Amino acid sequence: MAIFNYQTKSMITRNRVKCAEFRKLSSFPFWDLPFPSYTSDNSHLFFHFVLFIHILTNCSLFISGILVDPGEMEKKMLLHLTILILGILSSSSMVKAEDPYKYFTWTVTYGTASPLGVPQQIILINGQFPGPKLDVVTNDNIILNLINNLDQPFLLTWNGIKQRKNSWQDGVLGTNCPIPPNSNFTYKFQPKDQIGGYTYFPSTGMHKAAGGFGAINVYARPRIPVPYAIPAGDFNLLIGDWYKSNHKGLQQYLDSGRSLPFPDGILVNGQTRTTFSGDQGQTYMFRISNMGLSTSFNFRIQGHKMKLVEVEGSNVVQNMYDSLDVHVGQSISVLVTLDQTPKDYYVVASTRFTRKILTSVSVLHYSNSQTPVSGPIPAGPTYQVHWSMQQARTIRWNLTSNAARPNPQGSFHYGTITPTRTIVLSNSANLINGKIRYAVNGVSYINADTPLKLADYFNIPGVYSMNTIQMSPK
């Protein structure tokens, strides 16, 4: 009995030491411990949980030892050690977990609408014009089944998505066979290490002139900081020139040897007039994309400054602008603070570099506004090419900011790379066999019967040549 009491006192003393150590450790912020950046979002929590359980069981082990003999204690220690090893192995398996999957099914059909007041055939996706917005997070795996119910072959391209190591998902005739009528194709791609606003649109024929386009928003992962305060909300603005002519009629017009006619109007999200509502004092992100066929536009908001924060998926030096030029295929993101007198304000997009100016006027509505828009529509630049070029030079990559990864965008030191070859490109338009053909360095592109990617993969000769385009204009 004396020996048992001695052992008990000894174990109680050791237990006090261990529990004191535990109290110190339990006050340590385990959840803030650094963990390798390549882990999945929850694996570091599991790692710290295992560490926490190990300390807890180490303390409770000595408490339980008061009532058992030393041999039983050794068994308990072995059991806890086994649990700890299994926990570590489970944690390592979680590190290799895949990124989330998101599944979509889109059906492409014809419909009838009157965006410019004249009924015309348009292309719908799931009955919508524009098509559904694709909201995803960096590295999400996107599985999208596209069903083509048109009477023509069809493809969608994901403008700005890099398609790393899977260019055959890009959705253009150089990499994909078109989806035949009444058939489907499943796109599988990932916005790997990307953030920002992008778009998708048809790449076949003149389908883009009939719709079938939409917005892609790639949001940063929750643990990746962004170089600005999180806005109260965001708006997608799909702005572009529009024609009253049917897309098949435009195709025939081009095939006859003539150039594309002047557009009939400008649409914002498929309409001539749209309203964007927000609360006074809040800041909102406007994701602006040029979905047109041939025309640049200038964008401005009456009485409000715009802070440019992102262009084509890259965070940029944050400058303030009264208006911004957006060119065909380009996407930008600006922050706008509703810091003016509560009323409604004009949101304007007008064509650039055209003799005739087309203008689309929408409305920014303060939620506490009782006053409709008033005053003259704010004027913008028209044909000043130099002005546009000067503005473009103010848009610079933010080399100190991260993008989709924690490391700064400028950490790759591109400026220290020694160029081994310089390529100068010049465009032109010439009559070839009675038709206008646009060319780069004197070479015009024609879609091959065999997609270039297939020809490359299977080494099919005669489909393309690597030396067709010269490194400088002829």
Coordinates of all heavy atoms in Angstrom, one line a residue, residues 62 146 153 170 217 228 263 393 438:
F62 N -1.8 10.7 -17.7 CA -1.3 10.6 -16.4 C -2.4 10.7 -15.4 O -2.3 10.2 -14.3 CB -0.3 11.8 -16.2 CG 1.0 11.5 -16.9 CD1 1.2 12.0 -18.2 CD2 2.0 10.8 -16.3 CE1 2.3 11.8 -18.8 CE2 3.2 10.5 -17.0 CZ 3.3 11.1 -18.3
L146 N -22.3 20.8 -72.6 CA -22.9 21.8 -73.5 C -23.7 21.0 -74.6 O -23.2 20.2 -75.3 CB -21.9 22.7 -74.2 CG -22.5 23.8 -75.1 CD1 -23.1 24.9 -74.2 CD2 -21.3 24.5 -75.9
P153 N -23.2 23.7 -86.5 CA -22.1 23.4 -85.5 C -21.8 24.6 -84.6 O -21.9 25.7 -85.1 CB -20.9 23.0 -86.4 CG -21.5 22.6 -87.7 CD -22.7 23.5 -87.9
D170 N -10.3 24.7 -75.2 CA -10.4 26.1 -75.4 C -11.6 26.5 -76.2 O -12.0 27.7 -76.2 CB -9.1 26.6 -76.1 CG -9.0 28.1 -76.0 OD1 -9.4 28.7 -75.0 OD2 -8.4 28.8 -76.9
N217 N -16.7 34.9 -63.6 CA -16.1 35.6 -62.4 C -15.3 34.5 -61.7 O -15.8 33.5 -61.2 CB -17.1 36.2 -61.5 CG -17.9 37.3 -62.1 OD1 -17.4 38.0 -63.0 ND2 -19.1 37.5 -61.7
Y228 N -7.3 45.1 -52.1 CA -8.3 46.2 -51.9 C -9.4 45.6 -50.9 O -9.5 44.4 -50.7 CB -9.0 46.6 -53.2 CG -9.4 45.4 -54.1 CD1 -10.6 44.8 -53.9 CD2 -8.6 45.0 -55.1 CE1 -11.0 43.7 -54.7 CE2 -9.0 43.9 -55.9 CZ -10.2 43.3 -55.7 OH -10.6 42.2 -56.5
P263 N -22.3 49.0 -86.9 CA -23.4 48.5 -86.0 C -24.6 49.4 -85.9 O -24.5 50.6 -86.1 CB -22.7 48.3 -84.7 CG -21.5 49.2 -84.7 CD -21.1 49.3 -86.2
R393 N -1.1 53.4 -71.5 CA 0.2 53.3 -70.9 C 0.2 53.6 -69.4 O 1.2 53.3 -68.7 CB 1.1 54.4 -71.6 CG 1.5 54.1 -73.0 CD 2.6 55.0 -73.5 NE 2.9 54.7 -74.9 CZ 2.5 55.4 -76.0 NH1 1.7 56.5 -75.8 NH2 2.8 55.1 -77.2
Y438 N -8.4 39.5 -93.8 CA -7.5 40.1 -92.9 C -6.3 39.3 -92.6 O -6.4 38.0 -92.6 CB -8.2 40.4 -91.6 CG -9.4 41.4 -91.7 CD1 -10.7 41.0 -92.0 CD2 -9.1 42.8 -91.7 CE1 -11.7 41.9 -92.2 CE2 -10.1 43.7 -91.9 CZ -11.4 43.3 -92.2 OH -12.4 44.2 -92.4

